[in-house]
Amino acid sequence: MSTIFGIPTPALYGQILIGLINGSFYAMLSLGLAVIFGLLRVINFAHGAQYMLGAFAAYLLLNWLGINYWLALVLAPLVVGVIAVVIERTMLSRLYGIDPLYGLLLTFGLALILEGAFRYWFGAAGQPYAAPSQLSGGVNLGFMYLPIYRGWVVIASLVICIGTWLLIEKTRLGAYLRAATENATLVQAFGVNVPLLLTLTYGLGAALAALAGVLAAPIYQVSPLMGSNLIIIVFAVVVVGGMGSILGAIVTGYVLGVLEGLTKVFYPEASSIVIFVVMAIVLLVRPAGLFGREE
Amino acid sequence: MAVGTEYLAEQPRLRTSAIVLGAVAIAALLAAPFFFYPVLLMSILCFALFACAFNLLIGYVGLLSFGHAAFFGGAAYFTAHAAKVWEWEPLAAILLGVAGAAVMGLVMGFLAIRRQGIYFAMITLALSQMFAFICLQVPFTHGEDGIQGVPRGYLLGIVDLNQPLAMYYLTLAIFLFGFFAIWRIVHSPFGNILKAIRENERRAISLGYRVDRYKLGAFVMSAALAGLAGSTKAIVFQFATLTDVQWQMSGEVILMTLLGGIGTLVGPIVGASLVIALQNYLAASDFPVLVLIGIIFVICVLLFRRGIVGEILELMKRRSKGAA
C-alpha cells in the first residue's frame, strides 16, 4: 500500500473527500450568511436552524407524504424560504435601523425555538434518511473508492455556489442587490422596491440553507442539533473569509473544510478546533478577514 | 444599546430611595435562606453575578460577547480541579478559577477586540466553542462526565461549608463583593471612559484615549467576574460539567441580561432570578425550556428592548419629566 508522510493514501484521500464535503456545507452556509448580511446587516443566527429545517422537511416529506428526494430538493427550500419571508416581514423588518445586534439576538431566539421544538417532537437522536437509489453505491476511481452520493454533494454544492455567485454578479436582480448593499436610500430613490428586495434576499438566503440541509440529510443524520453544531463553525469561516465578498465566502468554506479533513489525518486531536485556530491567526494578521474590507 | 443609567445619580431624592432599597434588599437576602430553599437561592446568586459581569461588557462598553460561558464554565473547571484533586481550601480554589478566567479573558479579548459589533459577537462565540471542544478532550475535565463530587471543604480551614447556611452566606458575600466591584467600576473614571466608547468610539479615539486598552481591560474584568460566579457555582453544586462551557450557557446569560435590562445595574439580577426560577419551575414538567427561552428572546427584542428594569426606569423618567 502506498503512503504519503507515513499515511496510507486511501485514508488521506478519504479524509480529503470528507473535508471537501464538510467544506461544501461551510461554503453554502457562509454564502447565504454573507448574502443576507450584505443587504440586511443582520447576522442570521437562525441559519443553522433553517438548514436543519430543510433536512427535516425532506425527512417529513418522505415519511409523511412519500415525496422523494428530488422533489424535496425543490420543495424543502421553497417551504423554508416562505417561512423565512414571513419571519422577515413580521419580525426582522421591525429591527432595521437600530443596533444590528438586535437582529442577531432575534434570530438567535428563533433558532432556539426551532431547535427546542424539534428536539421536543423528535428527540435529540438522529433520524436516518436514505440517499435516492440513483445515487447510492459507489465507484472505484483507481486510487480510492468514491460513494456516488458524496461525489454528487460536492458537485451540487459547487453548482449552487457558482449559480448564486452568477445570480448576484451577472444578473439585473443581482445588480439591484449589490447597489442596495452599497446605498439602499439611493437605490430606493431610483424606484427600486428595496423592502421587497430585503424580503426576497432573506428568503433566498434561508432557502439556500434549507437546500444545503436536504443535501446533508443522507450524509449526516437528520437531527435537531445538526444546525447549531454547524453554524458556529460557519461563523468562524465567515470571520476568516470576511463578509465583503461572495466568492471569498465560497473559497474559504472549501479550503477550511479540506484543511479540517487533513488535520484529521495528521493530528486528529486538533481537527475539531483547527478552524478556530485559523480564525485566531487571521485575526492577528489580517483582522478584516482574507477577502474582507476594513469598514 | 443601553438605557440612561446615570439617571439615578442625577436625582438626589431617588438616590436616597435607592440606598434604602439596597439596604432592604440586603436585609431580605440575609433572611432569605430561612424562607426559601438555599440551593435555589445560591443558584440565583451565582447566575445573577454572572449576568452582572456580562452586563459590564454589553451595558457599559456596548460589546456583545457570545462567549462568556467559557469564563463561567472554565473557572468552574479550574476551581473544581483545585478543590478536588489538589485539595485546596475553597476560597483559594475560587481565586484560582478567577485568575484562570482572567487569563482566558485576556487571550480571547485580545483577539476579539480587533473587530467590532457583530463580528465581535461571532468571534467570541467561535473562541468559546473552541474552548468547549478543548474541555471535551483534555483529561482533567473528564469529558462527558465532568468533575463530580467536588468537596465544599472548610472555609479558611475553619467554617464547614457543608452546612447550607454557611455556604449560603459565603455565596452571598461573594455576590455582594462582585456586585460592589461592578458598581465601583461603572462609577469610576475608567467606567466613564467605557461609556464614552460605547456612545461614540471614534470620538473617544480622537480625544486621545487608547480605546483598545480600555476595551481589553473591561473584557478581562468581565471575564474575571464571570469566572468568580462560575467558581462559586462549582463549590456550591460540587461539580463542573460541559454544560457550563457550551454556547447555550452564553445564550442564557444574554437572555437574563436582556430580560432584566441591558445597562442597568440591577436588571441582570432581576433577569437571572426570573430565568432561574422559571427553569426550576419547569424542571418538573416536560415543557421544552429551550422553546420558552427562545420565545422570551423574541418578545424582548421585539417589544421591550430596555428590559424590565429599563422600562420601569424609563417610565419613572417620563413621569418626573411630566411633573416638572
Side-chain angles (χ1 to χ4, degrees):
Chain A
M1 194 187 279
S2 55
T3 59
I4 297 175
F5 302 125
I7 306 283
T9 44
L12 185 65
Y13 291 135
Q15 286 303 334
I16 292 180
L17 176 67
I18 291 178
L20 259 183
I21 302 237
N22 287 339
S24 306
F25 293 109
Y26 299 159
M28 282 187 283
L29 291 178
S30 59
L31 171 70
L33 272 183
V35 170
I36 292 175
F37 180 76
L39 197 57
L40 280 72
R41 298 278 132 185
V42 166
I43 283 290
N44 184 29
F45 210 121
H47 218 62
Q50 283 153 349
Y51 161 84
M52 178 268 288
L53 216 53
F56 261 102
Y59 171 80
L60 295 179
L61 283 172
L62 182 71
N63 287 299
W64 288 356
L65 304 172
I67 290 173
N68 70 19
Y69 174 82
W70 301 104
L71 268 170
L73 219 43
V74 180
L75 282 178
L78 216 60
V79 172
V80 176
V82 168
I83 295 173
V85 163
V86 173
I87 288 172
E88 197 276 343
R89 278 290 82 206
T90 55
M91 294 184 233
L92 259 186
S93 56
R94 291 160 188 266
L95 301 177
Y96 297 149
I98 65 169
D99 196 318
L101 292 177
Y102 286 114
L104 179 73
L105 294 178
L106 177 81
T107 50
F108 178 67
L110 292 172
L112 290 184
I113 295 176
L114 287 170
E115 193 182 306
F118 277 82
R119 219 150 94 176
Y120 183 65
W121 289 323
F122 297 97
Q127 320 274 344
Y129 181 92
S133 55
Q134 297 92 328
L135 296 175
S136 53
V139 281
N140 197 339
L141 297 178
F143 58 92
M144 68 175 291
Y145 176 81
L146 174 73
I148 292 177
Y149 188 80
R150 300 192 168 220
W152 150 254
V153 166
V154 174
I155 294 168
S157 77
L158 272 174
V159 170
I160 292 166
C161 287
I162 294 172
T164 313
W165 179 73
L166 286 175
L167 174 75
I168 288 167
E169 294 293 328
K170 304 288 175 202
T171 66
R172 199 172 179 81
L173 182 69
Y176 285 151
L177 223 141
R178 278 177 293 133
T181 304
E182 292 289 328
N183 190 336
T185 325
L186 199 60
V187 173
Q188 181 128 34
F190 281 133
V192 176
N193 188 343
V194 171
L196 182 68
L197 208 57
L198 293 171
T199 308
L200 286 180
T201 305
Y202 191 69
L204 177 77
L208 263 176
L211 185 57
V214 182
L215 285 173
I219 295 185
Y220 315 112
Q221 293 199 315
V222 179
S223 129
L225 308 175
M226 64 194 291
S228 56
N229 289 340
L230 190 60
I231 192 69
I232 301 177
I233 300 178
V234 172
F235 278 176
V237 172
V238 163
V239 173
V240 171
M243 276 192 290
S245 133
I246 301 286
L247 211 55
I250 300 172
V251 173
T252 315
Y254 284 107
V255 170
L256 287 181
V258 172
L259 185 70
E260 192 184 40
L262 287 176
T263 315
K264 237 172 237 162
V265 181
F266 293 106
Y267 189 55
E269 291 81 7
S271 63
S272 56
I273 62 167
V274 64
I275 290 181
F276 301 120
V277 174
V278 171
M279 180 190 81
I281 296 170
V282 167
L283 281 170
L284 285 174
V285 183
R286 220 184 121 78
L290 297 178
F291 299 89
R293 293 174 294 184
E294 283 285 358
E295 282 182 47
Chain B
M1 47 197 291
V3 201
T5 49
E6 299 76 19
Y7 173 62
L8 276 181
E10 292 162 8
Q11 306 259 333
R13 191 170 53 86
L14 282 174
R15 195 172 180 180
T16 349
S17 54
I19 290 171
V20 173
L21 265 178
V24 171
I26 290 175
L29 282 170
L30 285 171
F34 299 102
F35 302 98
F36 297 99
Y37 186 45
V39 173
L40 177 65
L41 291 173
M42 288 189 272
S43 170
I44 287 177
L45 286 174
C46 290
F47 278 98
L49 180 58
F50 183 25
C52 287
F54 170 79
N55 184 43
L56 178 63
L57 210 53
I58 177 89
Y60 298 97
V61 202
L63 293 172
L64 171 62
S65 162
F66 235 108
H68 259 49
F71 311 128
F72 184 74
Y77 271 128
F78 303 146
T79 299
H81 186 77
K84 188 182 178 188
V85 181
W86 299 337
E87 298 175 345
W88 282 21
E89 187 273 333
L91 213 54
I94 289 176
L95 283 178
L96 177 83
V98 173
V103 172
M104 282 170 56
L106 192 66
V107 176
M108 266 175 74
F110 180 73
L111 289 167
I113 57 165
R114 296 177 154 255
R115 301 299 303 270
Q116 277 122 22
I118 236 152
Y119 282 96
F120 182 89
M122 288 198 289
I123 292 164
T124 44
L125 175 62
L127 289 173
S128 76
Q129 180 77 351
M130 175 167 129
F131 182 71
F133 277 128
I134 293 173
C135 285
L136 184 65
Q137 285 181 357
V138 292
F140 96 94
T141 58
H142 300 283
E144 301 278 357
D145 298 334
I147 305 178
Q148 303 281 349
V150 178
R152 280 185 179 173
Y154 288 79
L155 179 63
L156 303 172
I158 310 165
V159 185
D160 183 4
L161 291 179
N162 286 310
Q163 293 174 339
L165 274 185
M167 190 67 242
Y168 174 79
Y169 286 119
L170 176 67
T171 311
L172 180 61
I174 290 174
F175 166 78
L176 289 175
F177 166 79
F179 185 73
F180 181 72
I182 290 167
W183 184 80
R184 275 307 307 151
I185 294 169
V186 168
H187 291 95
S188 68
F190 176 81
N192 280 329
I193 296 165
L194 292 183
K195 281 173 240 167
I197 295 171
R198 176 190 76 197
E199 295 304 322
N200 193 334
E201 186 167 345
R202 285 182 190 179
R203 179 171 287 177
I205 294 171
S206 78
L207 286 172
Y209 290 113
R210 297 209 168 170
V211 167
D212 280 356
R213 287 194 184 175
Y214 284 96
K215 279 189 188 170
L216 187 57
F219 195 88
V220 172
M221 287 176 203
S222 174
L225 287 162
L228 181 62
S231 291
T232 312
K233 179 176 174 270
I235 296 288
V236 169
F237 288 93
Q238 303 183 282
F239 59 77
T241 59
L242 284 171
T243 319
D244 292 345
V245 291
Q246 270 155 354
W247 61 268
Q248 286 91 342
M249 184 59 77
S250 299
E252 252 171 56
V253 76
I254 296 173
L255 179 72
M256 290 168 182
T257 313
L258 181 69
L259 178 64
I262 291 172
T264 63
L265 270 174
V266 291
I269 303 173
V270 174
S273 312
L274 283 175
V275 171
I276 296 295
L278 196 69
Q279 279 175 347
N280 194 54
Y281 177 72
L282 283 178
S285 76
D286 71 335
F287 190 84
V289 179
L290 213 55
V291 175
L292 191 72
I293 288 183
I295 291 172
I296 302 176
F297 249 108
V298 170
I299 293 174
C300 279
V301 170
L302 288 178
L303 298 180
F304 59 114
R305 284 187 278 277
R306 292 192 186 94
I308 295 170
V309 174
E311 293 290 348
I312 293 173
L313 282 176
E314 182 69 18
L315 208 71
M316 282 162 63
K317 201 172 177 177
R318 245 183 254 156
R319 205 173 268 178
S320 68
K321 252 184 202 162

